C-alpha cells in the first residue's frame, strides 16, 4: 500500500505543480496587464485621445452653428421654411453633438479608467467625423441649388433685410447701458457695455461687407459669396451680443428687485438655525454658533453694497445659504429642510441664471474648447431640471450644480 500511494503521488504531484505554476503565471500576467493599463503612460495616451475627441467636438459644434445660420438664411431665400434636407441634417447633427458632449463630460470626470476614456473618446471622434460629413454633404447640396437658382443679388437683399430687422430689434443699446450705469456699479454692467459696443460694430461690419458683396455681384468676374458669408457671420454674432445685452440688463434689474427679499429670507434662515442650535450637544452647538456668526457677518457685508451690486449680492446670498445648509447638516428635520429649500430656491435660481449668462458670453467670445462647452451644456441642463423639479430640495441641489458648472465653464473659457 505505501508503494501504491507513493506511485500515485508520483503521478499527481508534477501535474499539480505545473497547474500551480501556470496559475501563478497567469495571475502575475493579469496583474501586470492591469497595472500597465492604469499606468501614467496609459493615462497620458488616453488623455491625448480625449483631447482629440474634444477638438472634433468643437468642430462639430461650430459646424452645427454654421448649419443653423444656413437654415435661417435658407428660410429667407425660400420665402418660408428651410428645405427639408437642411432641417434633417441640422436635427441629426444636434442630436449627435448633444449625445457626444454628454459622453465627453462623463469621461472628463476624475477617476475614469484609461480604457474607458480611450473607448469613449474614439467613439466620440467617430461620431463627430460622421456628423461633420453629413453636414458637409447637406450644405454642398444646398449650396449647389442656391447657386443654380438664387442670384447673389437676391441673397444680398435677404441679408440686408435681416440686418434691418436686427437693428430695429436692438433698439438703442447705448440707452440700455446708460440706464444701467446710472444705478449700478461698473462690475454689474461691464459685460453689457462690451456686448452693446460689439453688437453695433458687428452690424456696421455686416453692412460694409454687404456693400462689398453688392459691388462684386455687379462684376461677373468676381464672387460675392465670401463677403456675403462673412456678413452673415457678423450678423449672427451681433444677434448673440444683442441677446447678451438684453439678458444682462434683465438679470440686473430682476436681481435689484429680489435683493431685499433674499436678504430677509437669509436672516430668517439664520434665526431658524439659531433655534436649531439650542437643541444640539455642547460641542456641536459651539461649532454651529461659530459658523452662524461668520455667515451673518458676511451677509451684513453683502448688504452694504447690495443696491449697487445686486447680481453679486444675489450670488453671494445663494452661496451663504449653501454654506448654512452644510453647517446645519442633519440637525434639521425634514420639514425644516423643505422650508429652507423653498426660501433658498428663488435666489439660487437667479444666481444660476446669472452665472450661465456670464458663461455663455465667455464661451461665445473666447473660441472655447470642449471642456468649457460641455460644462456650459451641463449647467443649462441642470438649470432646466431645477425649474422642472417638483421637490424643492432636489430643485435647489440642481440649481447649485448649475451654478458650479457655469462657473467652471466661464473659468475654462477665460484665457489665462
Amino acid at each position: 500500500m505505501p508503494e501504491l500511494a507513493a506511485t500515485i503521488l508520483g503521478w499527481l504531484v508534477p501535474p499539480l505543480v505545473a497547474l500551480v505554476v501556470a496559475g501563478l503565471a497567469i495571475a502575475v500576467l493579469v496583474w501586470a496587464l492591469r497595472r500597465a493599463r492604469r499606468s501614467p503612460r496609459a493615462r497620458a495616451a488616453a488623455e491625448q485621445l480625449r483631447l482629440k475627441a474634444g477638438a472634433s467636438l468643437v468642430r462639430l459644434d461650430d459646424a452645427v452653428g454654421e448649419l443653423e445660420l444656413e437654415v435661417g438664411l435658407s428660410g429667407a431665400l425660400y420665402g418660408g421654411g428651410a428645405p427639408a434636407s437642411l432641417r434633417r441634417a441640422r436635427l441629426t447633427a444636434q442630436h449627435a453633438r448633444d449625445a457626444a458632449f454628454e459622453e465627453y463630460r462623463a469621461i472628463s470626470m476624475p477617476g475614469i479608467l484609461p480604457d474607458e476614456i480611450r473607448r469613449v473618446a474614439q467613439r466620440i471622434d467617430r461620431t463627430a467625423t460622421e456628423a461633420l460629413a453629413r453636414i458637409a454633404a447637406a450644405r454642398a447640396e444646398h449650396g449647389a441649388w442656391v447657386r443654380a437658382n438664387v442670384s447673389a443679388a437676391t441673397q444680398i437683399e435677404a441679408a440686408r433685410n435681416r440686418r434691418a430687422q436686427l437693428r430695429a430689434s436692438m433698439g438703442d443699446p447705448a440707452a440700455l447701458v446708460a440706464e444701467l450705469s446710472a444705478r449700478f456699479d461698473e462690475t454689474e454692467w461691464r459685460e453689457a457695455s462690451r456686448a452693446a459696443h460689439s453688437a453695433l460694430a458687428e452690424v456696421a461690419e455686416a453692412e460694409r461687407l454687404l456693400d462689398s458683396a453688392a459691388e462684386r455681384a455687379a462684376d461677373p468676374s468676381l464672387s460675392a459669396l465670401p463677403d456675403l458669408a462673412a456678413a452673415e457671420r457678423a450678423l449672427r454674432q451681433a444677434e448673440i451680443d444683442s441677446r447678451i445685452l438684453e439678458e444682462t440688463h434683465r438679470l440686473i434689474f430682476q436681481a435689484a428687485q429680489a435683493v431685499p427679499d433674499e436678504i430677509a429670507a437669509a436672516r430668517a434662515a439664520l434665526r431658524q438655525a439659531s433655534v436649531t442650535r439650542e437643541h444640539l450637544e455642547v460641542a456641536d452647538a459651539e461649532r454651529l454658533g461659530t459658523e452662524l456668526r461668520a455667515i451673518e457677518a458676511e451677509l451684513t457685508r453683502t448688504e452694504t453694497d447690495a443696491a449697487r451690486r445686486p447680481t453679486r449680492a444675489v450670488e453671494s446670498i445663494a452661496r451663504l445659504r449653501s454654506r448654512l445648509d452644510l453647517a446645519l447638516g442633519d440637525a434639521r428635520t425634514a420639514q425644516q429642510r423643505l422650508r429652507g429649500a423653498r426660501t433658498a430656491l428663488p435666489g439660487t435660481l437667479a444666481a444660476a441664471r446669472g452665472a450661465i449668462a456670464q458663461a455663455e458670453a465667455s464661451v461665445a467670445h473666447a473660441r472655447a474648447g470642449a471642456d468649457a462647452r460641455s460644462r456650459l451644456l451641463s449647467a443649462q441642463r441642470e438649470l432646466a431640471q431645477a425649474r422642472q423639479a417638483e421637490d424643492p430640495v432636489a430643485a435647489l441641489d440642481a440649481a447649485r450644480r448649475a451654478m458650479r458648472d457655469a462657473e467652471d465653464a466661464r473659468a475654462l473659457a477665460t484665457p489665462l
Side-chain angles (χ1 to χ4, degrees):
M1 289 295 293
E3 293 179 358
L4 180 59
T7 302
I8 292 173
L9 287 174
W11 291 341
L12 293 177
V13 169
L16 287 173
V17 171
L19 285 173
V20 171
V21 171
L24 288 172
I26 291 172
V28 170
L29 180 61
V30 169
W31 176 82
L33 286 173
R34 286 182 176 176
R35 186 176 179 84
R37 290 163 71 179
R38 302 184 185 189
S39 66
R41 179 178 296 179
R43 289 196 175 277
E47 178 63 11
Q48 289 302 312
L49 287 174
R50 190 186 74 87
L51 294 176
K52 181 174 180 290
S56 297
L57 257 182
V58 168
R59 289 196 297 274
L60 175 59
D61 196 29
D62 289 341
V64 170
E66 289 289 324
L67 187 59
E68 290 174 347
L69 172 63
E70 190 159 344
V71 167
L73 300 181
S74 185
L77 292 176
Y78 283 84
S85 59
L86 274 187
R87 294 199 306 271
R88 284 195 301 270
R90 178 183 63 174
L91 187 61
T92 302
Q94 285 174 335
H95 284 318
R97 176 200 61 187
D98 294 345
F101 265 120
E102 287 291 328
E103 291 189 314
Y104 183 84
R105 179 83 168 89
I107 62 173
S108 301
M109 300 295 288
I112 308 299
L113 295 178
D115 278 354
E116 178 71 6
I117 294 174
R118 181 169 56 252
R119 181 179 62 80
V120 176
Q122 289 172 338
R123 183 168 67 237
I124 290 172
D125 194 41
R126 185 168 58 252
T127 298
T129 301
E130 291 170 355
L132 284 167
R134 287 193 295 269
I135 289 174
R139 293 185 68 188
E141 178 184 349
H142 180 249
W145 186 94
V146 168
R147 286 189 295 274
N149 295 277
V150 183
S151 68
T154 301
Q155 296 180 62
I156 293 168
E157 183 61 26
R160 279 184 165 152
N161 289 336
R162 283 190 299 279
R163 188 208 70 83
Q165 292 170 0
L166 172 61
R167 190 64 188 86
S169 67
M170 286 169 56
D172 186 0
L176 292 179
V177 175
E179 184 181 14
L180 292 172
S181 64
R183 286 187 54 183
F184 306 110
D185 186 79
E186 183 184 356
T187 56
E188 293 283 307
W189 51 265
R190 185 182 296 132
E191 182 59 38
S193 178
R194 186 211 58 76
H197 284 94
S198 295
L200 292 173
E202 286 148 2
V203 169
E205 176 67 4
E207 181 63 25
R208 185 190 68 77
L209 289 165
L210 289 174
D211 288 343
S212 175
E215 293 176 3
R216 286 176 167 271
D219 187 340
S221 65
L222 300 175
S223 173
L225 291 179
D227 283 340
L228 180 60
E232 296 293 358
R233 291 188 184 92
L235 287 176
R236 183 166 179 256
Q237 190 59 54
E239 289 176 346
I240 292 172
D241 281 313
S242 179
R243 286 197 299 269
I244 290 172
L245 169 61
E246 292 172 1
E247 178 73 357
T248 304
H249 181 275
R250 183 178 65 84
L251 288 173
I252 291 173
F253 274 93
Q254 286 183 346
Q257 292 177 344
V259 160
D261 290 340
E262 290 301 314
I263 292 174
R267 294 204 178 278
L270 282 170
R271 288 193 296 271
Q272 181 59 48
S274 297
V275 174
T276 302
R277 174 177 173 265
E278 295 173 358
H279 302 284
L280 299 178
E281 297 293 334
V282 175
D284 292 336
E286 182 61 31
R287 281 194 295 270
L288 180 57
T290 300
E291 185 66 357
L292 292 182
R293 287 189 291 273
I295 292 172
E296 186 171 12
E298 184 62 31
L299 180 61
T300 299
R301 283 193 293 272
T302 297
E303 190 175 9
T304 57
D305 64 348
R308 290 282 294 167
R309 298 180 178 181
T311 61
R312 179 180 175 182
V314 168
E315 178 185 339
S316 177
I317 294 168
R319 293 182 187 282
L320 290 175
R321 295 298 299 268
S322 178
R323 183 176 168 183
L324 178 60
D325 286 350
L326 186 63
L328 286 166
D330 296 328
R332 296 174 299 172
T333 65
Q335 186 177 9
Q336 287 172 334
R337 282 195 295 272
L338 187 62
R339 185 166 57 246
R342 284 197 181 111
T343 61
L345 183 57
T348 306
L349 284 172
R353 286 197 301 270
I356 288 174
Q358 292 176 353
E360 287 171 342
S362 296
V363 168
H365 284 276
R367 297 290 302 166
D371 289 302
R373 298 185 193 204
S374 67
R375 292 295 179 92
L376 177 56
L377 287 172
S378 179
Q380 293 165 337
R381 184 181 63 254
E382 293 287 1
L383 180 59
Q385 290 179 359
R387 286 169 167 166
Q388 295 168 4
E390 296 181 0
D391 178 11
V393 176
L396 182 61
D397 288 341
R400 286 170 175 168
R401 290 193 297 271
M403 276 187 66
R404 290 194 295 270
D405 285 339
E407 289 161 359
D408 289 345
R410 187 182 184 191
L412 289 166
T414 303
L416 297 178

